[in-house]
Amino acid sequence: MTESHNARAVVTGAGSGIGRAFALELAKRGGEVVCADISLARAEETVRLIAENGGTAHPVVCDVASREQVEDLALFAELTFGAAPTLVINNAGVGIGGTPVGDIGFDNWNWALGINLWGVIHGCEIFTPGMRAAGKGGFINVASAAGFAAAPLMGPYNVGKAGVMSLSETMAAELSGTGIRVTVLCPTFVKTNVAIDGRITDTGTKLAGKLMASTGFSPERIAVDTLNKYDRGRLYVVPQIDAKLIWRLKRIAPALYTRTLGLLGRFAPQESTEKAGV
């Protein structure tokens, strides 16, 4: 199966981390890539890396929280490719955590869900009609193990990623038999800058940094594994052993899982968003 090869691909959040790894790997597989990022400089750097290896890519600025900007992205991609994209990777996301529900603040909820959830909704709603008309294509939506793990002090992040999982499952059912496939990626820790760029308390940032350094997979490993499983028609990609264990434990003993998380959460250091400078 070679669905990810020679693709006309759009990748959001392509300026760093998993998004950059996806863009580079797709170019290696003979694809032409539109590299969208909120930072033009980061997008251009990804395009430069692709060009150095003989690939073809195009940078574009896009804030996925803005429906209008995603609509512009879709128009740019269709004009650039001369046809609808054959693969859209809704990857752009931000980290947020460290405070319990009730202390998070609506500005933080709106900011996180605007990118992590509405960004994916915009990408799916706007790009699906073109793929339907073409009768082929696919989406890789980047969620997280947080979407089913529901760890304490990560409310907005958990909710956004759970929504991405549900949206992906819904689309997979709706698009079954149409020639359009859907894959949702649910990793745990990946060596990216999401904790640094996000709205995470100082304590949470330090802990996340340690866990990424000690247990995190490289973005390149995640990208290759996900594209290979997308080629095989997999709906869920749960790449790490800890994520697989959480997935199974929650389904086997959901009440015990939740009580255990609650007990662990009581020992987690908490800071207000004001203290964290969020």
Side-chain angles (χ1 to χ4, degrees), residues 11 17-19 21-22 88-92 116 120 139-148 157 160-169 182-190 192 217-230 234-240 243-244 247:
V11 182
I18 297 174
F22 270 127
V88 173
I89 301 184
N90 290 305
N91 162 78
N116 290 347
V120 180
F139 293 90
I140 296 175
N141 295 328
V142 178
S144 167
F148 54 83
Y157 193 76
K161 297 303 185 179
V164 171
M165 290 186 68
S166 181
L167 173 61
S168 301
E169 291 161 349
V182 180
T183 292
V184 58
L185 169 61
C186 304
T188 48
F189 291 100
V190 183
T192 71
F217 279 16
S218 71
E220 294 76 18
R221 180 176 177 181
I222 294 290
V224 169
D225 183 50
T226 304
L227 289 171
N228 289 343
K229 287 174 179 171
Y230 167 81
R234 291 278 291 273
L235 172 57
Y236 303 104
V237 177
V238 184
Q240 291 124 311
K244 289 182 173 74
W247 176 278

Side-chain angles (χ1 to χ4, degrees), residues 28 59 62 73 80 99 106 108 116 131 145 205 222 234 277:
K28 284 181 188 176
C62 182
L73 172 63
T80 299
T99 52
F106 289 109
N108 288 313
N116 290 347
M131 289 191 192
T205 299
I222 294 290
R234 291 278 291 273

Side-chain angles (χ1 to χ4, degrees), residues 39-251:
S39 165
L40 179 59
R42 287 183 178 182
E44 289 175 335
E45 176 63 14
T46 300
V47 169
R48 184 186 66 78
L49 291 170
I50 289 171
E52 285 178 354
N53 289 287
T56 303
H58 315 274
V60 62
V61 173
C62 182
D63 178 357
V64 297
S66 165
R67 186 184 74 189
E68 292 77 11
Q69 290 193 35
V70 179
E71 289 172 340
D72 289 344
L73 172 63
L75 178 60
F76 176 85
E78 187 149 356
L79 291 172
T80 299
F81 296 142
T86 57
L87 176 59
V88 173
I89 301 184
N90 290 305
N91 162 78
V94 291
I96 184 168
T99 52
V101 175
D103 296 331
I104 294 165
F106 289 109
D107 285 345
N108 288 313
W109 277 101
N110 289 333
W111 174 76
L113 294 180
I115 299 166
N116 290 347
L117 179 55
W118 273 104
V120 180
I121 293 171
H122 289 151
C124 293
E125 184 75 12
I126 290 165
F127 281 99
T128 296
M131 289 191 192
R132 275 206 191 107
K136 64 179 179 179
F139 293 90
I140 296 175
N141 295 328
V142 178
S144 167
F148 54 83
L153 307 182
M154 293 178 61
Y157 193 76
N158 296 342
V159 170
K161 297 303 185 179
V164 171
M165 290 186 68
S166 181
L167 173 61
S168 301
E169 291 161 349
T170 302
M171 291 178 65
E174 291 176 348
L175 296 169
S176 178
T178 66
I180 303 169
R181 60 183 61 196
V182 180
T183 292
V184 58
L185 169 61
C186 304
T188 48
F189 291 100
V190 183
K191 292 181 170 73
T192 71
N193 58 7
V194 67
I196 298 168
D197 288 350
R199 296 185 181 183
I200 302 176
T201 60
D202 289 342
T203 303
T205 299
K206 290 174 185 174
L207 177 60
K210 288 178 182 177
L211 288 170
M212 285 179 189
S214 60
T215 68
F217 279 16
S218 71
E220 294 76 18
R221 180 176 177 181
I222 294 290
V224 169
D225 183 50
T226 304
L227 289 171
N228 289 343
K229 287 174 179 171
Y230 167 81
D231 285 347
R232 295 197 292 269
R234 291 278 291 273
L235 172 57
Y236 303 104
V237 177
V238 184
Q240 291 124 311
I241 187 72
D242 51 352
K244 289 182 173 74
L245 289 172
I246 292 167
W247 176 278
R248 289 169 185 162
L249 178 59
K250 189 173 181 182
R251 279 149 183 77

